[in-house]
Amino acid sequence: MATTLNTDVAVNLDITARRNDTFKMILTVKDAAGTVVAFPTSSGGDGPSYQGKMTIVNSSGDKVISFFSDYWRDLQEHGSTYTGNHPKDRTPAANQEGFYTGGTGAGAAIYFHPSTGVVTVNVPYNNIDFQSGEYSYDFQVYKYPNGGSIEYITWLYGKFTLRADITQA
């Protein structure tokens, strides 16, 4: 008798966006019972209980751009230098990965709205300025509930299609 265990909770969601247009994705997160997940503002560690990162890669697996919540792995990016895994904002280029965090709190590229179960991914048009085509992406969450242990969970993955744009900003 075959027995299997699948701990992969990620959902395959293919996304189509247009080059040089603002990218906005609003998710309402619910648990298996259909109850909205409340995102508490405090945690057992540094920073919010929920933090996020979304990365888009090309067909060779090279990173094109990553979007971050204002905290990622307890590192907040605000100054002229950074340490670790949370680099300064920069637009993507042909030979250089892009990064976008944006502002703090609700002004960040990825924001977990406290107590509502809503996650917003909001990236300005000039950071969606890379070659149109087919890519892959995933959206990973760092979860550190008060009194709990740290978890990294991929919530979404799939194909990211960037369509060409005629009118440029």
Side-chain angles (χ1 to χ4, degrees):
M1 169 195 251
T3 305
T4 60
L5 171 66
N6 184 359
T7 64
D8 183 0
V9 299
V11 174
N12 184 339
L13 176 68
D14 293 338
I15 297 172
T16 301
R18 186 156 306 270
R19 184 174 185 215
N20 292 307
D21 282 2
T22 300
F23 176 72
K24 192 166 196 172
M25 180 171 68
I26 301 170
L27 308 167
T28 300
V29 181
K30 298 181 180 182
D31 64 17
T35 304
V36 170
V37 174
F39 301 121
T41 55
S42 62
S43 74
D46 293 333
S49 296
Y50 286 82
Q51 303 170 34
K53 178 181 179 183
M54 181 175 167
T55 301
I56 299 171
V57 299
N58 64 21
S59 60
S60 299
D62 299 323
K63 293 177 184 175
V64 175
I65 190 164
S66 293
F67 314 130
F68 300 89
S69 55
D70 64 340
Y71 276 85
W72 177 251
R73 300 186 195 181
D74 303 330
L75 299 173
Q76 193 170 27
E77 182 275 320
H78 294 293
S80 60
T81 60
Y82 71 94
T83 306
N85 299 308
H86 200 208
K88 297 285 293 171
D89 290 352
R90 73 176 180 214
T91 55
N95 59 352
Q96 176 176 279
E97 177 185 2
F99 306 102
Y100 183 71
T101 301
T104 60
I110 299 174
Y111 182 63
F112 294 81
H113 298 262
S115 305
T116 65
V118 173
V119 179
T120 304
V121 180
N122 191 8
V123 181
Y125 67 93
N126 56 330
N127 286 280
I128 306 298
D129 185 15
F130 50 96
Q131 184 63 44
S132 57
E134 299 288 323
Y135 298 88
S136 296
Y137 82 96
D138 73 1
F139 179 85
Q140 187 179 61
V141 173
Y142 164 102
K143 177 181 171 185
Y144 193 4
N146 204 4
S149 58
I150 295 172
E151 298 177 14
Y152 285 94
I153 304 166
T154 299
W155 281 2
L156 300 172
Y157 71 96
K159 182 171 53 172
F160 188 95
T161 303
L162 190 64
R163 292 189 174 157
D165 198 14
I166 296 169
T167 303
Q168 302 295 309

